[in-house]
Structures are given as structure tokens and as C-alpha cells.
Amino acid sequence: GAGVSQSPSNKVTEKGKDVELRCDPISGHTALYWYRQSLGQGLEFLIYFQGNSAPDKSGLPSDRFSAERTGGSVSTLTIQRTQQEDSAVYLCASSSEVIGTSGNTIYFGEGSWLTVV
Amino acid sequence: AQRVTQPEKLLSVFKGAPVELKCNYSYSGSPELFWYVQYSRQRLQLLLRHISRESIKGFTADLNKGETSFHLKKPFAQEEDSAMYYCALRRDDKIIFGKGTRLHILP
């Protein structure tokens, strides 16, 4: 597609339920990133994928968070047993190569706004 | 630890006045720094990067290794500059962001 696409754009869920957030990167982009944007916390790195593998999962806040990527394209971020502190905007981004390549740019989606009540 | 600090959560500036958004970083290697911007109801996008030494929408940012700073500047603020601005640092294969500064341009 023309840009990074995320769904759902808004999700309200009850505490304790599981949620899945989807990211469809720009076609041909091999690197995919997940960030969390919270009020007052800025952008927190969660995880990134190069192809289908995740070299760096260091940002995942707890074992309730997991992510996968299949076919080198679509990625799903899953939050199990959601808590109120999980409420945030979850941003996905992609780039044509891993960021370490000089001059590379990452492109962001519009985000999935998650509210846990 | 490598990190990015933006000391101001909110900056209000009158239209036509100069703008300076502060950013300080800590990084053990040779840093690669960026400014990202998010306008209301739009997605986060790259504004500029230090390696390009470019001016975008009248904004410039100079890397000062002595002061470990990468402040974003514009000589004359415009109303359309109102947005959320994030300073960012490349660390290995990912981008680390500061907490952001909301710039509000007063008419």
C-alpha cells in the first residue's frame, strides 16, 4: 500500500481481555517496528523485526506482550490480560532496511488507540 | 545508557518570534540524530536529520558534540508550526525517542 496501515484505529477493551493489533507495512519494507506512545512518556520502543525474526525484544514491557511477523509482511502485536496501564497509542513503523543503514528513514502508521476500561 | 532528553513538555511562542526546541542526548559512540514532528491528526513523520544538514520548513538543527545537544531552531514561528516535536537518536538498529515537546504558536 501507499503507507503503513494499522488496525483497529481505536479499540476499547475490558481489563483482563486479550487484544490483537495489526500492522501492514509499506510493500517491500523488510524492517518493522512497534512503539508505544503514552501521555507524558513519549515514544517507547517495544520490538523490531528484520524479516520475520525479532533481533530486539528488549522494549516489551512484560511477558503479557508478544509480537509476530509472518511472510516478512504483516505483524501482529498481542497484549494478553490487558491492564489499564496498557492504554496508549501503539505505533507501527517500517523501513526499507534496518535503520543502521545510513540515510534510511522509517515511516509511521497512524496508530492504534487502545483504551482498557 | 543512551537516551534523549527534551526538557520542555510545552513551549508557547508568539507568531513571528524565534523558536528553539531543546534536545540533549547521551551516547557513547558517534550519534545520529533526528527530529520528528506530529501535526494534529497526522502521523509522525521525519522533519530532519543531522547528517543531511538541511533546512526543512525553515527549521534547522546543529549537532553540538561538546554540549551533547541537537536543538531545533526556526527564526520566525508560523501558526502551522504548532505540533508535537520529538528528538530522536539512532542506537544500533532502532530509533530512541525523547518524550517530546508540544509547540504552541500564539497568534
Side-chain angles (χ1 to χ4, degrees):
Chain A
V4 178
S5 177
Q6 292 186 245
S7 62
S9 54
N10 281 286
K11 175 74 175 179
V12 180
T13 190
E14 291 181 354
K15 178 180 171 181
K17 295 281 178 71
D18 297 353
V19 295
E20 281 190 356
L21 306 176
R22 175 190 166 107
C23 174
D24 204 338
I26 292 172
S27 179
H29 278 192
T30 58
L32 185 148
Y33 305 81
W34 283 99
Y35 288 86
R36 181 168 68 176
Q37 187 177 31
S38 310
L39 200 61
Q41 296 299 318
L43 280 157
E44 300 172 74
F45 168 79
L46 298 178
I47 187 172
Y48 93 92
F49 291 89
Q50 175 59 20
N52 291 335
S53 64
D56 190 341
K57 303 179 183 179
S58 63
L60 294 177
S62 74
D63 58 9
R64 296 187 294 106
F65 287 72
S66 63
E68 64 176 13
R69 190 179 185 195
T70 55
S73 180
V74 172
S75 176
T76 302
L77 177 68
T78 302
I79 310 172
Q80 296 178 306
R81 305 182 302 283
T82 52
Q83 303 294 311
Q84 287 184 331
E85 60 262 28
D86 299 335
S87 297
V89 178
Y90 290 83
L91 291 174
C92 178
S94 71
S95 64
S96 57
E97 297 175 26
V98 171
I99 278 294
T101 304
S102 181
N104 205 10
T105 299
I106 58 173
Y107 297 88
F108 282 86
E110 292 185 322
S112 291
W113 191 294
L114 175 66
T115 303
V116 182
V117 297
Chain B
Q2 295 102 346
R3 61 178 180 271
V4 177
T5 304
Q6 293 180 252
E8 303 141 327
K9 287 186 178 179
L10 173 67
L11 183 65
S12 296
V13 174
F14 283 103
K15 178 182 172 183
V19 175
E20 182 177 68
L21 297 167
K22 291 185 167 49
C23 173
N24 289 90
Y25 66 90
S26 63
Y27 188 67
S28 55
S30 183
E32 186 173 348
L33 288 146
F34 310 81
W35 276 98
Y36 280 78
V37 61
Q38 190 169 27
Y39 300 102
S40 179
R41 298 189 180 85
Q42 294 187 28
R43 60 188 69 194
L44 191 63
Q45 58 187 290
L46 177 67
L47 179 63
L48 55 80
R49 67 183 80 201
H50 92 270
I51 58 172
S52 301
R53 302 185 65 82
E54 58 203 342
S55 173
I56 303 293
K57 299 184 180 183
F59 284 98
T60 59
D62 291 320
L63 178 62
N64 185 322
K65 291 186 179 180
E67 295 181 358
T68 60
S69 68
F70 188 57
H71 303 328
L72 183 68
K73 298 178 183 179
K74 183 169 182 176
F76 307 104
Q78 298 172 283
E79 288 190 54
E80 54 264 34
D81 296 329
S82 292
M84 193 74 180
Y85 291 80
Y86 292 94
C87 184
L89 167 73
R90 181 177 69 79
R91 186 183 79 193
D92 300 325
D93 296 335
K94 56 183 178 279
I95 303 283
I96 304 299
F97 289 85
K99 293 190 177 183
T101 299
R102 180 165 297 283
L103 177 63
H104 181 48
I105 305 301
L106 304 166

